[in-house]
Amino acid sequence: DIQMTQSPSSLSASVGDRVSITCRASQSISTYLNWYQQKPGRAPKVLIYGASSLQRGVPTRFSGSGSGTDFTLTISSLQPEDSASYYCQQSYSTPYTFGQGTKLEIK
Amino acid sequence: QITLKESGPTLVKPTQTLTLTCIFSGFSLSTSGVGVGWIRQPPGKALEWLALIYWDDDKRYSPSLKTRLTITKDTSKNQVVLTMTNMDPVDTATYYCAHNYDSGGGPFDYWGQGTLVTVSS
């Protein structure tokens, strides 16, 4: 199995801050990396697919980068509604493993 | 418009078999590249990928749960069924089904609302 490791596991930031979450794969996954946002009691929602492609309807303050083993999700200007948990997931080979999640809190 | 909805028991006893059904609309599981997967999430914990069935009936399972899982599809009814045998309290989780494309290489772009399954005697 490909292991996905996210960091940090939690963070707290203020409205307007630039925030980054990283995800590292245990082996190269090219750009088969997806990012999801999940709010309490809700199903996950895809933000970024293919490492850097913005899902339709997702605000442009979200962006993704990386290839191979190291990836980053960046929120350019944090908004109150961005308070959520964020997960990376590799879709390079089954099992399509998820990271352990990052809980983002707004100060 | 793509929608998915999970259904099944909310409570199962240890050692019992869980059967979950995902009923979907807005796409066909006979379309090349399309798949439906199952993902679960124990309370307060991370997402765990369980299984995926493709348009061509190719089936993939989590290696750690492979002996307990079976995924099937009924294309005519727009349904995917997941069975998990020998349920244990650690299997208590919200179970989601989700649409996938690009023969698995794409993301899970549409999700059901999830169904909470509690395993307890």
Side-chain angles (χ1 to χ4, degrees), chain B residues 106-118:
Chain B
F108 289 110
D109 55 348
Y110 294 91
W111 294 63
Q113 64 191 23
T115 186
L116 175 62
V117 178
T118 301

Side-chain angles (χ1 to χ4, degrees), chain A residues 6 34-48 55 58 84-89 96 98-99 101-102, chain B residues 2 4 6 37-42 45-49 94-99 107-115:
Chain A
Q6 285 182 235
N34 311 304
W35 289 98
Y36 299 85
Q37 177 193 65
Q38 186 182 31
K39 296 184 177 181
R42 304 293 298 274
K45 166 189 167 184
V46 62
L47 301 174
I48 302 287
Q55 178 73 359
V58 173
S85 292
Y86 293 84
Y87 294 91
C88 62
Q89 179 229 355
Y96 293 141
F98 289 87
T102 295
Chain B
I2 290 177
L4 304 97
E6 308 87 352
W38 286 92
I39 302 99
R40 71 178 179 179
Q41 185 172 40
K45 296 189 177 181
L47 300 165
E48 179 183 13
W49 186 91
T94 296
Y95 288 75
Y96 297 98
C97 63
H99 171 272
F108 289 110
D109 55 348
Y110 294 91
W111 294 63
Q113 64 191 23
T115 186

Side-chain angles (χ1 to χ4, degrees), chain A residues 1 13 25 41 55 92:
Chain A
D1 299 8
Q55 178 73 359
Y92 179 79

Side-chain angles (χ1 to χ4, degrees), chain A residues 9-104:
Chain A
S9 56
S10 65
L11 77 154
S12 181
S14 300
V15 172
D17 283 354
R18 182 182 181 89
V19 169
S20 291
I21 299 169
T22 63
C23 180
R24 174 164 289 177
S26 60
Q27 66 183 74
S28 178
I29 57 171
S30 183
T31 57
Y32 289 93
L33 191 283
N34 311 304
W35 289 98
Y36 299 85
Q37 177 193 65
Q38 186 182 31
K39 296 184 177 181
R42 304 293 298 274
K45 166 189 167 184
V46 62
L47 301 174
I48 302 287
Y49 63 94
S52 60
S53 296
L54 191 68
Q55 178 73 359
R56 186 171 54 246
V58 173
T60 56
R61 63 180 180 274
F62 291 93
S63 64
S65 64
S67 66
T69 60
D70 294 313
F71 302 88
T72 302
L73 172 71
T74 300
I75 308 173
S76 61
S77 179
L78 198 62
Q79 299 300 303
E81 61 267 30
D82 300 336
S83 176
S85 292
Y86 293 84
Y87 294 91
C88 62
Q89 179 229 355
Q90 63 85 14
S91 51
Y92 179 79
S93 67
T94 57
Y96 293 141
T97 40
F98 289 87
Q100 82 276 19
T102 295
K103 188 170 184 178
L104 173 57

Side-chain angles (χ1 to χ4, degrees), chain B residues 50-78:
Chain B
L50 299 178
L52 181 64
I53 189 165
Y54 294 99
W55 83 100
D56 59 358
D57 210 37
D58 185 12
K59 301 167 187 178
R60 305 296 175 95
Y61 296 100
S62 167
S64 62
L65 294 168
K66 183 179 175 62
T67 60
R68 299 174 53 206
L69 294 175
T70 303
I71 190 169
T72 59
K73 64 180 176 70
D74 186 329
T75 304
S76 64
K77 293 183 179 179
N78 282 355

